[in-house]
Amino acid sequence: MEKEVLHKRLAENDQTLKSLVLSVDNGTDNFFPATDHDYIKLGRLIGKNTQLISLSIEIPWDQIGIDNQNLSLKYLASGLKRNRSIKYISLHNITFLGK
């Protein structure tokens, strides 16, 4: 899904957007944020959205590095924590590191 289309659908609470997959794999409801700004904006939009029910996150740490993955998740989580509509979250290939 194109970034602008996804941002618009999230911002407008599109009732047909019930699930979102953050993945490099191509798919109808798939999107992969490319920059820190993309993760920040996506987190904000998801945080305000009331229609999204399912979110699947697959960030290939072997392609972007673990430090970048952790920073990306932090940006996403800052907005995601405000969302009250998501009932299902699945994480794939995510590595959590304690410091």
Short mmCIF file of all heavy atoms in Angstrom, two decimals, residues 5-6 11 23 28 34-35 39 42 51 54 57-58 61 68 76-77 85 90 95:
data_model
loop_
_atom_site.label_atom_id
_atom_site.label_comp_id
_atom_site.label_asym_id
_atom_site.label_seq_id
_atom_site.Cartn_x
_atom_site.Cartn_y
_atom_site.Cartn_z
N VAL A 5 -1.68 6.89 0.63
CA VAL A 5 -3.00 6.25 0.71
C VAL A 5 -3.24 5.74 2.13
O VAL A 5 -4.31 5.96 2.70
CB VAL A 5 -3.11 5.10 -0.32
CG1 VAL A 5 -4.38 4.29 -0.10
CG2 VAL A 5 -3.03 5.63 -1.73
N LEU A 6 -2.24 5.07 2.70
CA LEU A 6 -2.38 4.55 4.06
C LEU A 6 -2.58 5.68 5.06
O LEU A 6 -3.48 5.61 5.90
CB LEU A 6 -1.16 3.72 4.45
CG LEU A 6 -1.15 3.23 5.89
CD1 LEU A 6 -2.33 2.32 6.18
CD2 LEU A 6 0.16 2.54 6.21
N ALA A 11 -5.96 8.48 8.86
CA ALA A 11 -6.38 9.80 9.36
C ALA A 11 -7.89 9.97 9.27
O ALA A 11 -8.50 10.61 10.13
CB ALA A 11 -5.68 10.90 8.58
N SER A 23 5.36 -4.75 6.91
CA SER A 23 6.25 -5.79 6.41
C SER A 23 6.82 -5.38 5.07
O SER A 23 6.19 -4.63 4.32
CB SER A 23 5.48 -7.11 6.26
OG SER A 23 6.26 -8.08 5.65
N THR A 28 -1.77 -6.59 -0.11
CA THR A 28 -2.79 -5.56 -0.19
C THR A 28 -2.76 -4.62 1.00
O THR A 28 -2.82 -3.40 0.85
CB THR A 28 -4.18 -6.20 -0.29
OG1 THR A 28 -4.19 -7.09 -1.41
CG2 THR A 28 -5.25 -5.14 -0.47
N ALA A 34 9.91 3.47 5.75
CA ALA A 34 11.30 3.51 5.29
C ALA A 34 12.20 4.39 6.14
O ALA A 34 13.41 4.19 6.18
CB ALA A 34 11.34 3.97 3.84
N THR A 35 11.62 5.37 6.84
CA THR A 35 12.44 6.33 7.59
C THR A 35 11.89 6.49 9.01
O THR A 35 10.78 6.08 9.31
CB THR A 35 12.42 7.72 6.92
OG1 THR A 35 11.09 8.26 7.01
CG2 THR A 35 12.85 7.65 5.45
N TYR A 39 7.94 6.19 10.69
CA TYR A 39 7.50 5.49 11.91
C TYR A 39 6.81 6.44 12.88
O TYR A 39 5.81 6.09 13.49
CB TYR A 39 8.70 4.83 12.61
CG TYR A 39 9.09 3.52 11.99
CD1 TYR A 39 10.12 3.46 11.07
CD2 TYR A 39 8.42 2.35 12.32
CE1 TYR A 39 10.48 2.25 10.49
CE2 TYR A 39 8.78 1.14 11.75
CZ TYR A 39 9.82 1.10 10.83
OH TYR A 39 10.17 -0.09 10.26
N LEU A 42 3.37 7.32 11.33
CA LEU A 42 2.51 6.15 11.40
C LEU A 42 2.03 5.90 12.82
O LEU A 42 0.86 5.61 13.05
CB LEU A 42 3.25 4.93 10.86
CG LEU A 42 2.44 3.65 10.72
CD1 LEU A 42 1.26 3.86 9.77
CD2 LEU A 42 3.32 2.53 10.22
N GLN A 51 -10.61 2.57 14.02
CA GLN A 51 -11.15 1.47 13.22
C GLN A 51 -10.23 0.26 13.14
O GLN A 51 -10.69 -0.86 12.94
CB GLN A 51 -11.46 1.96 11.80
CG GLN A 51 -12.46 3.08 11.74
CD GLN A 51 -13.81 2.68 12.30
OE1 GLN A 51 -14.32 1.60 12.04
NE2 GLN A 51 -14.40 3.57 13.09
N SER A 54 -6.50 -5.03 13.96
CA SER A 54 -5.39 -5.98 13.93
C SER A 54 -4.14 -5.32 13.35
O SER A 54 -4.21 -4.66 12.31
CB SER A 54 -5.79 -7.20 13.10
OG SER A 54 -4.71 -8.07 12.94
N ILE A 57 3.41 -6.72 12.88
CA ILE A 57 4.67 -6.00 12.66
C ILE A 57 5.77 -7.02 12.39
O ILE A 57 6.02 -7.91 13.20
CB ILE A 57 5.04 -5.15 13.88
CG1 ILE A 57 3.92 -4.16 14.21
CG2 ILE A 57 6.36 -4.41 13.64
CD1 ILE A 57 4.10 -3.43 15.51
N GLU A 58 6.45 -6.83 11.27
CA GLU A 58 7.59 -7.66 10.91
C GLU A 58 8.69 -6.74 10.40
O GLU A 58 8.63 -6.24 9.28
CB GLU A 58 7.21 -8.68 9.84
CG GLU A 58 8.37 -9.56 9.45
CD GLU A 58 7.97 -10.62 8.44
OE1 GLU A 58 6.78 -10.92 8.30
OE2 GLU A 58 8.88 -11.15 7.79
N TRP A 61 15.29 -7.27 11.15
CA TRP A 61 16.47 -6.71 11.80
C TRP A 61 17.74 -7.02 11.04
O TRP A 61 18.70 -6.27 11.08
CB TRP A 61 16.57 -7.18 13.25
CG TRP A 61 16.77 -8.66 13.39
CD1 TRP A 61 15.80 -9.61 13.55
CD2 TRP A 61 18.00 -9.37 13.37
NE1 TRP A 61 16.34 -10.86 13.62
CE2 TRP A 61 17.71 -10.74 13.53
CE3 TRP A 61 19.34 -8.99 13.24
CZ2 TRP A 61 18.69 -11.72 13.54
CZ3 TRP A 61 20.31 -9.97 13.26
CH2 TRP A 61 19.99 -11.31 13.42
N ASN A 68 18.48 0.11 14.80
CA ASN A 68 17.44 0.81 14.03
C ASN A 68 16.07 0.21 14.29
O ASN A 68 15.08 0.92 14.36
CB ASN A 68 17.74 0.74 12.53
CG ASN A 68 18.87 1.66 12.14
OD1 ASN A 68 19.19 2.61 12.83
ND2 ASN A 68 19.52 1.36 11.03
N LEU A 76 7.16 4.01 16.85
CA LEU A 76 5.83 3.47 16.59
C LEU A 76 5.04 3.35 17.88
O LEU A 76 3.87 3.72 17.96
CB LEU A 76 5.96 2.11 15.91
CG LEU A 76 4.70 1.45 15.41
CD1 LEU A 76 4.02 2.32 14.36
CD2 LEU A 76 5.03 0.09 14.83
N ALA A 77 5.67 2.87 18.94
CA ALA A 77 5.00 2.66 20.22
C ALA A 77 4.54 3.97 20.85
O ALA A 77 3.53 3.99 21.56
CB ALA A 77 5.92 1.92 21.18
N SER A 85 -8.52 0.76 19.80
CA SER A 85 -9.32 -0.13 18.96
C SER A 85 -8.61 -1.43 18.60
O SER A 85 -9.26 -2.43 18.31
CB SER A 85 -9.74 0.58 17.67
OG SER A 85 -8.61 0.90 16.88
N SER A 90 0.48 -8.87 16.38
CA SER A 90 1.42 -9.97 16.23
C SER A 90 2.77 -9.40 15.82
O SER A 90 2.85 -8.44 15.06
CB SER A 90 0.92 -11.00 15.20
OG SER A 90 0.74 -10.39 13.94
N THR A 95 13.34 -8.47 17.64
CA THR A 95 14.31 -8.77 18.67
C THR A 95 14.28 -7.66 19.70
O THR A 95 14.48 -6.49 19.36
CB THR A 95 15.73 -8.87 18.08
OG1 THR A 95 15.73 -9.87 17.08
CG2 THR A 95 16.74 -9.23 19.15
#
